[in-house]
Amino acid sequence: MLQAILGNDVAPGDEKLTQGDPTCRVSEPVVLKALSLPAPGGARIVAFEPPVTLACAMAQAVAAWLAGSVQPLAQGYFRKDLTALRVGGGYECRRRNRASTGPVSEHATGKALDIFAFAAGAGGDAMQVSVEKPAGLTESRFLTAIRQSACGAFRTALGPGADAAHANHLHVDIEERRSPASRFCQ
């Protein structure tokens, strides 16, 4: 579905990810390079730096969140369009928090994304907001609003202050919890 939207740069993921170890299978893997977000005056392209492999359902959740929350927040706080996300930790077959034991991470199914920074504006007007070290009160408030919006868009949203493993990025995932309405946000 995302591949059909003009301006999106989404490619099919490695088919091997749908097979093999059941704890590390990705349903409908896609490689997310860029998304086209609706904006006044025409669509805006948001790049993923570097491109990231996700389950299609997670990519759709990210696209909806960016269009419905992050882009409007960037416009409201900075009067700039969102242009890129500096990301890491899409699909990766591993345990939670890179521990040697314990539950498997949602990254192992492609249902999680780690975001280290948000870029807005272009050219000499460009800026980057680091999740770990926001520069000033406006960036801090922007990141607080981002985290609050992530709590509604995803089942889990963890960032700086949640624990040591999430001190430098925002982790979002769509893993269902005990109740479909429950969320884990810190």
Side-chain angles (χ1 to χ4, degrees), residues 14-15 18 20 24 35 43 53 57 59 68 73 75 80-81 86-87 96 104 110 116 124 138-139 154 168 175 179:
D14 187 344
E15 189 63 30
T18 65
C24 291
L35 292 172
T53 298
L73 287 168
Q75 278 287 336
K80 300 174 194 293
D81 287 318
R86 189 165 49 84
V87 298
R96 284 187 193 156
V104 173
F116 292 86
T138 302
E139 288 189 13
F154 301 98
N168 65 349
E175 173 58 21
S179 163

Side-chain angles (χ1 to χ4, degrees), residues 88-89 92 94-99 105 107 113-116 131-132 147 157-172 184 186:
E92 184 180 352
R94 64 175 174 84
R95 299 195 181 280
R96 284 187 193 156
N97 301 329
R98 301 190 187 283
S105 171
H107 290 283
L113 178 66
D114 292 340
I115 303 166
F116 292 86
V131 172
E132 182 178 23
R147 281 175 77 167
L158 301 170
D163 58 27
H166 298 92
N168 65 349
H169 65 278
L170 175 63
H171 166 96
V172 294
F184 185 63
Q186 290 186 335

Side-chain angles (χ1 to χ4, degrees), residues 14 28 58 73 77 86 109 112 125 127 131 146 156 160 167 181 185:
D14 187 344
E28 300 177 318
M58 180 62 182
L73 287 168
Y77 278 90
R86 189 165 49 84
T109 60
D125 193 35
M127 64 180 296
V131 172
I146 290 291
T156 304
C185 299

Side-chain angles (χ1 to χ4, degrees), residues 4 11 16-17 19 32 34 38 46 48 53-54 56 58 67 71 75 83 87 102 104 111 118 137 144 146 153:
K16 291 177 187 171
L17 297 178
Q19 306 156 6
L32 193 53
V46 177
F48 286 74
T53 298
L54 298 172
C56 186
M58 180 62 182
Q71 175 72 300
Q75 278 287 336
T83 55
V87 298
V104 173
K111 294 179 183 175
F118 297 86
L137 185 59
T144 297
I146 290 291

